[in-house]
Amino acid sequence: MNFFVAELVGTMFLIILGDGVVANVLLTRSKAENAGWMVIATGWGLAVAVGVYIAGWASGAHINPAVTIGFLAIGKIKLQMALVYIAGQMTGAFLGAIIVWLHFLPHWSQTEDSEKKLAVFCTDPAIANSGANLVSEIIGTMVLLVGVLGITATHNNLSSGLAPLLVGFLVWSIGLSLGGTTGYAINPARDLGPRIAHALLPIAGKGKSNWGYAWIPVVGPIIGGVAGALFFRFIITLMQQTP
């Protein structure tokens, strides 16, 4: 149960700060309105670091089903525990989105653009192309898993206190370099939990929740997470065999 609570709280803070920065930039009459992509990418990177610091000591802070499933694929976590982690992550993401909605409560009615309201909660492609969008999410999540496994590898001799910050830098880098195509969900809970919240909450003029796209930021990160974990294990084995 401690693992469930840790993943719930870590993911909840990830969403509070991550969806929060998007709301800050997109919602009408926010003092950070139109602050731009750099602010959003930076906010998400810091959100990940905070989430990992909060939950890391208790659960290892996956705060992302793609990480959990990737770890499952290489034997770093057992199936029963993986299900506990994912349940915590999904619950935390949903609750975090509700808190963001409450925090920005007066701004929803002030914001006319329903697409901006949806973007606070979940991702949407810049160019709608299911195949290309899926590939973008796979690549972004592969980079995430390889980076996370590299940062936390014992070979690097990094202190446990530094690793969460570096994971945040990694997500910041992914956002700056690869995020413009799909909004870089790279985390099924980060997208699906808040999308469900968007569908259920009484948000003024919210429009539709774009369920036709919703499978891509779930399936893409899962594929990318498994592929990234397997790739990292392969290159580690290869490097260890090199004289």
Side-chain angles (χ1 to χ4, degrees):
M1 185 59 68
N2 288 340
F3 297 112
F4 173 83
V5 173
E7 289 296 306
L8 186 157
V9 175
T11 309
M12 184 176 72
F13 274 83
L14 164 69
I15 298 302
I16 290 170
L17 297 176
D19 281 3
V21 72
V22 180
N24 243 355
V25 172
L26 295 186
L27 295 184
T28 300
R29 297 186 66 182
S30 160
K31 294 195 176 197
E33 187 178 3
N34 298 319
W37 187 255
M38 177 62 79
V39 170
I40 290 175
T42 304
W44 269 108
L46 293 172
V48 170
V50 170
V52 176
Y53 275 119
I54 289 170
W57 66 274
S59 68
H62 295 185
I63 60 174
N64 182 344
V67 173
T68 300
I69 294 171
F71 281 17
L72 178 65
I74 58 174
K76 292 178 74 71
I77 189 173
K78 295 187 181 298
L79 177 59
Q80 184 176 2
M81 188 59 68
L83 295 175
V84 172
Y85 273 53
I86 292 170
Q89 293 154 5
M90 288 299 302
T91 305
F94 178 77
L95 294 175
I98 292 174
I99 292 170
V100 171
W101 168 70
L102 286 170
H103 183 82
F104 289 93
L105 199 57
H107 295 268
W108 303 109
S109 60
Q110 298 288 319
T111 305
E112 295 184 1
D113 190 337
S114 63
E115 291 185 1
K116 288 184 177 180
K117 295 174 187 178
L118 178 61
V120 171
F121 293 89
C122 52
T123 61
D124 194 47
I127 299 174
N129 181 312
S130 295
N133 302 152
L134 184 66
V135 169
S136 288
E137 287 294 330
I138 291 171
I139 292 172
T141 315
M142 282 187 67
V143 172
L144 174 67
L145 264 290
V146 173
V148 166
L149 287 167
I151 289 167
T152 58
T154 55
H155 306 77
N156 284 327
N157 295 317
L158 294 173
S159 71
S160 58
L162 180 61
L165 184 60
L166 294 179
V167 172
F169 284 170
L170 169 64
V171 173
W172 187 23
S173 178
I174 292 170
L176 293 178
S177 301
L178 304 174
T181 54
T182 61
Y184 70 115
I186 60 174
N187 181 339
R190 168 266 177 276
D191 195 273
L192 183 57
R195 194 183 297 268
I196 293 171
H198 176 271
L200 296 177
L201 288 169
I203 303 167
K206 66 181 178 180
K208 297 181 179 180
S209 301
N210 195 9
W211 289 108
Y213 178 76
W215 68 274
I216 290 176
V218 172
V219 175
I222 290 173
I223 295 172
V226 172
L230 292 173
F231 177 73
F232 184 81
R233 186 174 68 175
F234 170 74
I235 60 174
I236 284 293
T237 301
L238 190 64
M239 287 188 290
Q240 288 173 337
Q241 292 175 348
T242 302

